[in-house]
C-alpha cells in the first residue's frame, strides 16, 4: 500500500481502524479519594458533636461580663428563689394602697467576653454587636488595663468595676491593642433588659 502526504502511516496494532488501547490508570488515585472522603466525614462528625454539645468556638473559658448579673436579677425577682417550695412564676402583686414591689437596681454591662492572661489586664475574646464595647471601639485581642480610675489585673476586676459603674455614665478605658499600641476609649455601659 502506497502512502501519500494526505494519509499518514497507521500505527502498529491500529491497522484498518482497530480498537484503541485503554488509557493508563494512575496508581493511588482511589486511595486519595477515600482519604479525602474520610477526612471530610470525620470533620463533619466532630463539628456536629460540638454543635449538639453546645460548645462554641470562642466560648471555652470565657465569661460574658454582665450576663451572669442578669441571672442574679431574675433570681432576686422570684419570691423565695428559684427552687423554693410554693414559688410561682407569677409576679408578686402589691397590696391595695401599698407601695409598688421593689425592683433590683440596674447593673451596667459592657457586652464583652474577657479571660485572664499571664500579665495584668483582661483579654477581650469577644465583643457583642451591638453593644457598649463595640460602640466604644473594642475588638477581640485588646487588653483592658483600666476602667475609669480602677486598675484591671484580671477578668474578675473588670467584672467588679463594671458592676459598680452607673449605667449611662461615660467611663474611660485604657486599652492595649494586639499590635502593641495604647489607647484611651470612652464607653457608656448599658443595661441588659
Amino acid at each position: 500500500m502506497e502512502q501519500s502526504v494526505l494519509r499518514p502511516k497507521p500505527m502498529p496494532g491500529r491497522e484498518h481502524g482497530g480498537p484503541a488501547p485503554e488509557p493508563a490508570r494512575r496508581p493511588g488515585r482511589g486511595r486519595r479519594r477515600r482519604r479525602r472522603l474520610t477526612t471530610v466525614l470525620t470533620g463533619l462528625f466532630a463539628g456536629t458533636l460540638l454543635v449538639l454539645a453546645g460548645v462554641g468556638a470562642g466560648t471555652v473559658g470565657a465569661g460574658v461580663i454582665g450576663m451572669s448579673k442578669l441571672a442574679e436579677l431574675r433570681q432576686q425577682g422570684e419570691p423565695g428563689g428559684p427552687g423554693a417550695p410554693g414559688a410561682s412564676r407569677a409576679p408578686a402583686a402589691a397590696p391595695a394602697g401599698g407601695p409598688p414591689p421593689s425592683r433590683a437596681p440596674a447593673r451596667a454591662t459592657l457586652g464583652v467576653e474577657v479571660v485572664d492572661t499571664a500579665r495584668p489586664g483582661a483579654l477581650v475574646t469577644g465583643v457583642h454587636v451591638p453593644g457598649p464595647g463595640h460602640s466604644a471601639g473594642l475588638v477581640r485581642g485588646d487588653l483592658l488595663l483600666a476602667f475609669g480610675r480602677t486598675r484591671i489585673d484580671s477578668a474578675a476586676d473588670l467584672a467588679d468595676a463594671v458592676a459598680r459603674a452607673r449605667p449611662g455614665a461615660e467611663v474611660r478605658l485604657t486599652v492595649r491593642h494586639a499590635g502593641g499600641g495604647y489607647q484611651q476609649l470612652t464607653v457608656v455601659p448599658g443595661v441588659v433588659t
Side-chain angles (χ1 to χ4, degrees):
M1 176 186 238
E2 184 176 317
Q3 296 294 322
S4 70
V5 175
L6 298 176
R7 188 184 319 158
K9 184 175 179 183
M11 301 210 30
R14 293 186 119 198
E15 287 105 22
H16 307 294
E22 292 185 26
R25 295 189 74 197
R26 292 172 49 185
R29 190 173 189 187
R31 276 184 283 176
R32 281 195 300 260
R33 281 187 179 171
R34 271 189 304 251
R35 202 175 312 144
R36 283 186 201 143
L37 182 63
T38 303
T39 303
V40 168
L41 290 177
T42 303
L44 285 173
F45 179 71
T48 303
L49 283 179
L50 287 174
V51 168
L52 291 176
V55 175
T59 60
V60 178
V64 179
I65 301 298
M67 297 307 283
S68 61
K69 301 298 180 189
L70 177 64
E72 289 176 16
L73 290 174
R74 285 185 179 165
Q75 288 179 354
Q76 290 174 0
E78 294 181 9
S88 67
R89 293 267 178 200
S102 64
R103 294 184 182 179
R107 300 274 177 126
T109 63
L110 282 184
V112 295
E113 298 174 15
V114 295
V115 294
D116 289 331
T117 62
R119 299 182 310 202
L123 179 67
V124 176
T125 58
V127 179
H128 295 230
V129 178
H134 179 260
S135 299
L138 289 174
V139 294
R140 190 169 66 193
D142 284 348
L143 188 66
L144 297 174
L145 301 172
F147 183 85
R149 294 187 175 170
T150 305
R151 179 181 166 170
I152 305 299
D153 289 325
S154 66
D157 290 345
L158 180 64
D160 292 339
V162 171
R164 287 191 307 266
R166 199 176 91 226
E170 288 186 351
V171 178
R172 280 243 186 240
L173 292 176
T174 304
V175 178
R176 180 173 182 255
H177 296 293
Y182 289 85
Q183 187 177 13
Q184 294 237 333
L185 301 173
T186 302
V187 66
V188 179
V191 177
V192 176
T193 58

